[in-house]
Amino acid sequence: MTEEVLAPAYPLFRRPDAYHQKRCASALRNRIQRWSERRALRALLDSAEGIHSVCDLPCGIGRSFELWAAAGLSVLGIELSAPMAERAERERAALELPGRVEIGDAFDASAAHGRADLVACLRFAYYFSPVQRRDLLAALQSRSHRYLLIQYRVGNGVLGRWKSARAVVRMQRRATRAKHACPWEEIRPELESAGWSVLRMRRQSPLSDRVLILAERSARKS
Ligand SMILES: C[S@@+](CC[C@H](N)C(=O)[O-])C[C@H]1O[C@@H](n2cnc3c(N)ncnc32)[C@H](O)[C@@H]1O
């Protein structure tokens, strides 16, 4: 497996066990976050008509594979880090989830890849600036027959403003790891200018600054 990096600088995760420990372990805060994320994802998945396959990009360790299995979907997992992809492939096999995991770059917009009915992009887009997100949204189009399910962070509200201020301080220390918030009212125009029509937007929970968005390829780009 080779890793060709087209993407703007963003760290590849190399320690699947550490990621699992951080995101899937049983600390109360993680459990609440996971529960609210899943609840919001299920609600949006229910609004997507006639889907049979999902492209999980980047899939990391396959954190969401259980959800795709429960929804009766097949998966095309894409991940640029080989150790993460290997762990995801093991997770897919253990769940008997139909599909495959491949090494690939989320920013690769070439036409020759596998596609799915829905592309899910979780815990990723908000690491990039608006200009970089435009390229990402275009690349995600090349993977989707119809739908996109993507997670943003909003800068509105007290919590959002506090997190945005904290991000600015962090960015001064380590430019590539800071998260970029996008105000709620700018999300729709940003997706629309990249060829996606927004169908639903849903905050992960009332206090969360994360928003899940279900969008559909707009007619002019399909
Ligand atoms: C924060 S994790 C999110 C993974 C998964 N979506 C989830 O929700 O658990 C981000 C992942 O993106 C991978 N990654 C970084 N740059 C990438 C790129 N250009 N293309 C594909 N994967 C990338 C990292 O190795 C890491 O596993």
Side-chain angles (χ1 to χ4, degrees):
M1 287 176 162
T2 55
E3 293 168 0
E4 281 178 43
V5 184
L6 300 173
Y10 177 72
L12 293 190
F13 290 22
R14 304 278 182 193
R15 295 164 57 223
D17 290 343
Y19 188 73
H20 181 268
Q21 185 61 27
K22 186 160 182 206
R23 291 286 157 236
C24 312
S26 55
L28 183 61
R29 185 165 169 256
N30 282 338
R31 287 218 308 261
I32 294 171
Q33 261 189 11
R34 239 163 109 72
W35 175 81
S36 58
E37 183 190 54
R38 291 208 163 191
R39 198 174 61 132
L41 280 169
R42 268 189 225 108
L44 294 184
L45 273 182
D46 285 348
S47 309
E49 290 168 1
I51 50 167
H52 302 288
S53 54
V54 57
C55 173
D56 190 339
L57 176 56
C59 65
I61 57 172
R63 197 177 61 91
S64 306
F65 284 7
E66 246 183 307
L67 188 68
W68 314 138
L73 303 175
S74 66
V75 74
L76 169 59
I78 313 275
E79 167 60 53
L80 196 50
S81 152
M84 298 293 272
E86 278 155 21
R87 172 73 176 251
E89 175 53 28
R90 285 209 303 279
E91 174 75 1
R92 188 199 66 72
L95 289 166
E96 299 183 8
L97 173 62
R100 63 186 192 278
V101 175
E102 289 177 0
I103 299 279
D105 188 338
F107 284 80
D108 180 0
S110 51
H113 336 280
R115 286 180 176 226
D117 299 325
L118 174 136
V119 173
C121 184
L122 306 176
R123 285 188 168 273
F124 193 65
Y126 48 67
Y127 287 101
F128 301 98
S129 69
V131 172
Q132 293 167 333
R133 286 200 301 266
R134 198 184 52 210
D135 292 342
L136 177 65
L137 288 166
L140 296 176
Q141 281 238 335
S142 71
R143 296 279 189 182
S144 172
H145 289 304
R146 182 164 178 188
Y147 292 109
L148 170 69
L149 190 46
I150 192 164
Q151 197 173 38
Y152 271 45
R153 284 180 102 116
V154 284
N156 316 54
V158 176
L159 186 67
R161 281 202 297 275
W162 175 71
K163 287 198 171 180
S164 298
R166 194 181 59 171
V168 170
V169 174
R170 284 188 173 170
M171 214 177 310
Q172 284 158 358
R173 278 188 260 145
R174 266 198 306 182
T176 54
R177 276 187 185 261
K179 299 183 179 81
H180 294 259
C182 177
W184 179 274
E185 61 280 5
E186 288 175 22
I187 294 176
R188 188 178 288 271
E190 177 169 311
L191 266 83
E192 284 178 355
S193 68
W196 293 103
S197 303
V198 173
L199 302 174
R200 286 186 69 187
M201 287 173 42
R202 188 185 156 123
R203 243 179 222 272
Q204 229 162 268
S205 70
L207 278 182
S208 174
D209 65 339
R210 273 160 223 229
V211 177
L212 284 159
I213 305 135
L214 179 69
E216 189 174 20
R217 291 171 70 101
S218 42
R220 67 189 164 85
K221 293 249 179 174
S222 42

